[in-house]
Every structure is written in structure tokens, then in C-alpha cells.
Amino acid sequence: MNTIEIPQRNIVCEVPECWDEMTSEQVCAIVQLFECYRRGAISEVDFYVRALYLLLGIRRRPTTIFLERVLLRKYSRRDEHVVLLCEQLLPFLVAENETGRTLTFDSVRNFLPSIRYRRRTLIGPADLLADLTFAEFRFACTEMSEYFSNGDRRALDRMIGCLYRPAGRGGRRRQSFDPERLDEFARTVARLPLWQKKIILMWFANCVSHIQNKEVRIDGRAIEFSCLFDSKEDDRESGSLGWVSVLYALASDGVFGDAEKTDRAGLFDVLCLLYDNYHKNRRK
């Protein structure tokens, strides 16, 4: 956390210096503000002013907003100072890329562990997909890739349907994943606000990238799964079916059982087995 002190008023405030230090409420509000900025509903300056107020826990009163509009020149000068302060305190918030300015959300924490929608509560995965099954992961990856390739909103809804479902029975956190019901799950989440869908999309993409490229700690063991995701040219030309081929290879070995039982196995159980097999084969 960064600390701001105003000695004249005996005020001490803390501002997050990364996404992981934000609360769920702060992340949701920042993403909604940024969507307003992208739509042109608010200016870039207003986005930064509201973001800083939000992260400082300062409420903007209606009278303050009215005065800002009436005394535009005076408050514009103040807002410029706030923007400079934001650039110093919140460099992690927004970045420039080839498509314009975008949020640099990079957390693997699930800031939306559950979503209340139409008198139903949809339950999502744990941080870094810790409780995801192999089937949920591979279907969600497929739908995410389709969404990134053609922007099909139905693919985005199907991806979220792989991850968020109503609470299950018999002590299960959420209903079991059934690929045959994926369109039904997608219809359940189709009318979620776009900003919620974007948080889930950014978070899931971060988790996949983290698993592919960074160290993961499992039961005190530090593992880098990057060796399982190397994309060499000869691998791309080999006609591999990717995760489907992995599924049937594991099913043929019978470690978790048949294909259906393998799909119900935990994602990290599957990845750890693949990792151990990879290094055993290298030592031969």
C-alpha cells in the first residue's frame, strides 16, 4: 500500500499499489468506471479523479459534483493535479497498447467468487482455478480462444458458463459441469452486466497465463508447468488435438479412470501427473 499524509488535517490514507491489494468492491467499481470512460460517458480526467477518490475511500457528495460542473475552470485545475497524483500512485491501473488505453488487470484472485443474479447465486472457481476440474478448464479455454479470435459474445457466455453455476447439492460448491448443458449454463449468465463478464474474462485469462508461464505452489511444492505448454513448430504441425488428446491419453493409461472420470479429475491433479510424466520421460 502507498500512504498519503495530509498533516494540516491530520489525515492518513492508504492507496493500493497493485490489483491484489484492492477489495472486490474496489475492483468492480474501477472496471465499471473504465467502461464508462471507454463509452465516452466520462472523460479520462474524470475517470482518474473518481478512481482516486474511490481508492482513498472518499465519497463525492452531490453538492461537490454540482460545484465541479458550475466552477468548471477551477475544478479542472484541481483535477489536473489529481491526474498527476494518479500517475504517481496508480501506474499499474491503465496502460497503452495497439488498441488504445486498457486496464492492466493482472491478478489471479477471483474478485467475483459468487454472483447474485435474478434471485440465484452463481458460484465461481477459487483463486487461480484451484478447484476447477479438467473438463471445466479445457472447455473454458476453448470458448475463450473462440471469443478472442472472433469476438463472439456467445462464446464468452459459454466460457463463463463453464466457470459459474448455481450452488450444488450434497455439499458441492456448485452444480457439476456437464458439457451437454453448456448452452443452458450460457443462457443463465447471458444477461450478466458486461463489466462483470469482463472481470471474469480478464481473471480467467490471467490464470491460464500464470499456469503456463509462472511458478505455482501446490502443497508447498513449487512447480513450473511451462514445459507442458511449449509451442514448438513441429508440435503445431503434428496434428495434435491438444487437451482432447491429453484426455484420451490419460484415459487409456487409466490413472483417473475412463475419459469421463478423467474429465472430472482436478485440473492441478492432471497437470501434476503430466508434469511428473514429462520429467520421467526426460530422464530415460
Side-chain angles (χ1 to χ4, degrees):
M1 290 281 190
N2 287 314
T3 302
I4 296 178
E5 297 185 24
I6 307 176
Q8 298 89 337
R9 298 191 178 184
N10 196 29
I11 295 176
V12 178
C13 297
E14 289 189 329
V15 181
E17 56 182 342
C18 65
W19 289 95
D20 279 332
E21 290 183 350
M22 291 190 194
T23 64
S24 295
E25 292 76 12
Q26 288 174 332
V27 169
C28 291
I30 291 293
V31 173
Q32 290 180 77
L33 277 177
F34 191 75
E35 286 303 303
C36 289
Y37 162 62
R38 285 180 62 110
R39 294 196 311 267
I42 61 175
S43 67
E44 181 179 3
V45 170
D46 202 21
F47 164 73
Y48 276 113
V49 171
R50 296 188 188 192
L52 186 59
Y53 277 27
L54 173 71
L55 296 177
L56 286 172
I58 300 174
R59 296 188 63 181
R60 300 175 79 206
R61 298 177 181 177
T63 53
T64 304
I65 297 173
F66 173 75
L67 288 173
E68 288 177 0
R69 292 172 179 171
V70 174
L71 304 175
L72 183 60
R73 185 174 300 174
K74 173 185 175 182
Y75 280 93
S76 293
R77 287 196 297 270
R78 186 210 60 184
D79 289 350
E80 289 173 2
H81 292 298
V82 173
V83 171
L84 292 175
L85 190 59
C86 284
E87 290 177 351
Q88 296 173 0
L89 294 175
L90 307 174
F92 66 91
L93 205 59
V94 176
E96 189 86 28
N97 62 19
E98 61 277 4
T99 61
R101 298 183 71 76
T102 182
L103 289 175
T104 57
F105 184 79
D106 59 358
S107 179
V108 296
R109 279 181 57 198
N110 187 357
F111 289 100
L112 290 174
S114 64
I115 300 173
R116 185 70 177 170
Y117 178 68
R118 288 190 172 184
R119 299 182 181 179
R120 304 181 75 180
T121 299
L122 306 178
I123 309 297
D127 297 343
L128 194 58
L129 313 177
D131 60 352
L132 216 63
T133 65
F134 185 48
E136 290 170 316
F137 177 75
R138 65 187 190 86
F139 274 89
C141 284
T142 299
E143 299 298 342
M144 180 178 69
S145 297
E146 183 174 346
Y147 174 73
F148 282 146
S149 65
N150 58 31
D152 185 355
R153 290 285 181 87
R154 292 171 298 181
L156 177 59
D157 291 340
R158 288 194 296 269
M159 186 210 80
I160 297 173
C162 294
L163 306 173
Y164 283 79
R165 294 183 300 283
R169 298 178 180 177
R172 294 195 300 271
R173 288 192 68 238
R174 59 183 178 274
Q175 291 180 9
S176 298
F177 177 67
D178 182 356
E180 298 295 326
R181 298 178 61 195
L182 184 52
D183 286 336
E184 175 189 338
F185 297 145
R187 287 192 296 271
T188 301
V189 303
R191 294 193 178 183
L192 291 176
L194 182 59
W195 64 267
Q196 285 187 337
K197 294 182 181 182
K198 291 202 171 183
I199 289 177
I200 296 169
L201 175 64
M202 291 188 294
W203 167 72
F204 182 69
N206 289 341
C207 290
V208 174
S209 177
H210 188 103
I211 292 170
Q212 290 177 338
N213 301 295
K214 296 182 180 179
E215 181 179 277
V216 178
R217 298 198 69 85
I218 300 175
D219 296 330
R221 178 187 178 192
I223 302 177
E224 290 188 7
F225 294 114
S226 56
C227 58
L228 305 178
F229 297 93
D230 288 341
S231 55
K232 298 179 182 178
E233 190 66 30
D234 53 357
D235 289 336
R236 289 197 297 268
E237 295 177 353
S238 64
S240 172
L241 296 177
W243 290 119
V244 176
S245 64
V246 170
L247 170 67
Y248 286 109
L250 292 176
S252 65
D253 291 340
V255 178
F256 298 106
D258 59 16
E260 184 177 346
K261 291 180 180 178
T262 301
D263 247 352
R264 292 200 300 265
L267 168 63
F268 284 102
D269 292 333
V270 171
L271 291 179
C272 285
L273 178 63
L274 294 173
Y275 178 84
D276 290 338
N277 289 344
Y278 172 84
H279 284 284
K280 286 178 182 177
N281 292 333
R282 291 198 66 183
R283 287 194 294 266
K284 289 182 180 179

